[in-house]
Amino acid sequence: MISRALTAAGLAVTLLSGCAVNPVTGKQELSLISQGQEVALGEKQYPITQQQQGGEYVVDKSLQDYVSRVGQKLARVSDQPQLPYEFVVLNNGTPNAWALPGGKIAVNRGLLTLLEDEAELAAVLGHEIVHAAARHSAAAMSQQQVLGAGLAVLGAATQSTGYGDLVSLGGQLGGSAYIARHGRGDELEADKYGMRYMAAAGYNPQGAVELQRKFVKLSEGSQSGGLAALFASHPPSQARVDANIAHAKKLSSGGATNRAAYQQAIAQLKRDADAYATYDKALAAVKEKQYDRALNLTRQAQRQQPREAAFFQLEGDLLAQKEQYQAAHGAYDKAVQKNPGLFSHWLKRGLMSAQLNNYTDAERDLTRSMRYLETPHAHYFLGQVYEKQGNVQTAYGHYQTAAKAGGEIGTKAQARMQALGNKG
Ligand SMILES: [Zn+2]
């Protein structure tokens, strides 16, 4: 959705930076922002987008290294090897992958379990590398969109503010999925040059053909929400399969598929398939408001894989919903210990401490959550903590920030500001 004002702003920027050569195709193209700006945007947005989508997958950290190695091998033979490429596996069951400007790339665990070998993984990563190297995002994503993410977006999508409403809060915090939308032309270009990178890095480019065949087959079957989301950004078609077959014919077909290495790398994910399936059923039960069933299911998932923090976070949400705050605090405590790198574990444990009138612990946890992701929730509840402690001025500042996010929490923050203002 492009507003008139945004278009005018875009034109002004275009006049400044003008035309640029596409580093992959060599064609002259309009460029809205400089490559330096793109790299800076990607660097800033990468950790934020990761946090909003489940954070890093940490149950098997060796999988991160493996995916990075494959990605860097391809990046080195790309048309822009000097970009600060990074690759991360996200703890997200939706089969998706994306690239931010400047070479910041993510692939969800939900996509990795659908792939057969390293050549197919190379097809996914090579495709995303082209999006970054050819600067597709500079055209597809307005600067406004990139800069606007974070606090404001999270605020707008969020309706819930009560301590007891963490179930719905959980869904909103995790649900604001970023899905890059590229045009058909960019998609074909990403396939074509991605296959060249595959061949140059020693992979059999046939992997890109197999990948698209798989997607066509999956899209013909019953589409779950996750698959539908993937195909909205990467529409599968026989035409795309055919185009990839034609490209493969022009490239050396002798490359590696490394099936054994790939299967070894995702072995833990495969062993945990039942645990994540149980967790997905629990999430579905939450949507149906079957909270007891959801609680049983997430506890079953915990028994299947005790190291997955998400299973304990959901248990905490469901206990908080039952107003069992002490038990909910205990569940969040486990989530924090199993994965201290995700903002929501700290945020929710902090909310429970506030609910249990332990303001020192609440302040520490809410503040810590903002190191990972700044949310209007952390600001609003920090406001409450400081207000309870009699620190009205600091409380007011946090309410002010929360109010800027708008939505229900913004309105509540505004009400508190008014109440405090009237007192003084
Ligand atoms: Zn794409």
Side-chain angles (χ1 to χ4, degrees):
M1 216 86 24
I2 296 170
S3 74
R4 194 177 294 261
L6 197 59
T7 312
L11 276 174
V13 176
T14 308
L15 288 175
L16 289 176
S17 54
C19 275
V21 174
N22 180 321
V24 172
T25 61
K27 286 184 203 148
Q28 285 281 329
E29 284 173 2
L30 279 179
S31 179
L32 295 181
I33 55 175
S34 75
Q35 183 132 49
Q37 283 174 303
E38 258 185 72
V39 168
L41 286 175
E43 300 246 342
K44 179 169 178 274
Q45 195 58 31
Y46 197 43
I48 295 172
T49 313
Q50 288 183 45
Q51 288 287 322
Q52 288 173 323
Q53 297 187 33
E56 262 185 59
Y57 169 72
V58 295
V59 168
D60 177 11
K61 285 188 177 154
S62 64
L63 183 59
Q64 298 285 354
D65 300 332
Y66 173 79
V67 169
S68 279
R69 273 201 305 277
V70 174
Q72 295 296 351
K73 228 196 270 184
L74 292 156
R76 274 199 296 274
V77 297
S78 76
D79 292 283
Q80 291 226 74
Q82 82 291 353
L83 286 178
Y85 290 98
E86 275 186 78
F87 301 86
V88 69
V89 178
L90 295 182
N91 192 17
N92 190 318
T94 306
N96 194 22
W98 46 261
L100 289 177
K104 304 301 188 194
I105 289 164
V107 52
N108 291 352
R109 64 167 164 76
L111 180 55
L112 292 180
T113 47
L114 293 179
L115 307 181
E116 192 60 29
D117 57 36
E118 200 171 299
E120 290 186 10
L121 173 63
V124 169
L125 298 179
H127 177 102
E128 298 302 332
I129 286 169
V130 177
H131 281 319
R135 310 187 58 198
H136 288 159
S137 302
M141 181 191 296
S142 74
Q143 203 170 354
Q144 186 98 0
Q145 264 176 302
V146 177
L147 292 173
L151 186 74
V153 168
L154 198 60
T158 299
Q159 298 298 323
S160 132
T161 49
Y163 291 123
D165 272 343
L166 288 169
V167 174
S168 47
L169 177 62
Q172 287 152 1
L173 291 175
S176 55
Y178 166 85
I179 298 194
R181 292 181 196 283
H182 295 289
R184 184 178 294 268
D186 283 355
E187 286 307 295
L188 291 174
E189 192 170 294
D191 277 357
K192 178 181 171 185
Y193 290 93
M195 288 173 76
R196 288 197 192 172
Y197 300 166
M198 287 173 74
Y203 291 111
N204 190 334
Q206 189 66 23
V209 176
E210 297 308 326
L211 182 69
Q212 285 308 317
R213 274 204 183 119
K214 187 171 294 180
F215 286 159
V216 169
K217 219 174 189 178
L218 284 168
S219 72
E220 285 165 357
S222 65
Q223 283 198 20
S224 72
L227 285 173
L230 172 73
F231 296 144
S233 66
H234 295 81
S237 68
Q238 189 55 45
R240 214 169 141 187
V241 175
D242 294 341
N244 286 4
I245 290 172
H247 296 317
K249 276 189 186 143
K250 290 180 217 149
L251 298 164
S252 143
S253 61
T257 55
N258 293 354
R259 186 178 187 282
Y262 185 78
Q263 289 298 324
Q264 165 80 26
I266 64 159
Q268 184 65 52
L269 269 187
K270 281 200 148 174
R271 279 196 294 276
D272 291 340
D274 286 345
Y276 287 115
T278 308
Y279 173 67
D280 287 343
K281 273 189 219 158
L283 292 176
V286 168
K287 271 195 189 149
E288 302 290 317
K289 296 192 164 38
Q290 299 172 353
Y291 298 127
D292 287 326
R293 183 175 138 76
L295 190 56
N296 283 332
L297 283 165
T298 201
R299 283 174 173 161
Q300 188 189 329
Q302 290 170 4
R303 288 190 293 274
Q304 290 169 305
Q305 176 45 280
R307 282 183 290 138
E308 176 51 80
F311 304 162
F312 293 86
Q313 175 173 234
L314 181 56
E315 185 190 17
D317 294 351
L318 289 159
L319 291 168
Q321 201 269 338
K322 289 175 178 294
E323 300 184 9
Q324 295 178 21
Y325 300 124
Q326 192 66 57
H329 186 280
Y332 292 138
D333 207 33
K334 286 182 189 150
V336 164
Q337 279 160 29
K338 287 165 199 289
N339 183 5
L342 192 68
F343 81 101
S344 55
H345 299 157
W346 296 99
L347 175 65
K348 290 171 175 179
R349 194 177 73 174
L351 291 187
M352 281 310 103
S353 289
Q355 177 66 27
L356 296 163
N357 300 325
N358 189 342
Y359 298 119
T360 311
D361 284 4
E363 180 191 359
R364 181 200 58 213
D365 282 2
L366 293 170
T367 305
R368 180 75 183 258
S369 81
M370 290 213 283
R371 243 202 256 171
Y372 301 102
L373 187 69
E374 194 181 355
T375 57
H377 294 85
H379 281 294
Y380 178 80
F381 288 106
L382 271 172
Q384 294 224 313
V385 165
Y386 289 121
E387 203 183 330
K388 292 262 168 65
Q389 290 175 322
N391 191 344
V392 173
Q393 211 171 0
T394 309
Y396 196 90
H398 283 288
Y399 287 141
Q400 234 172 352
T401 310
K404 280 184 207 144
E408 198 183 320
I409 199 150
T411 310
K412 286 203 175 194
Q414 219 135 29
R416 289 314 305 153
M417 284 163 70
Q418 233 148 25
L420 291 179
N422 290 341
K423 259 191 229 166

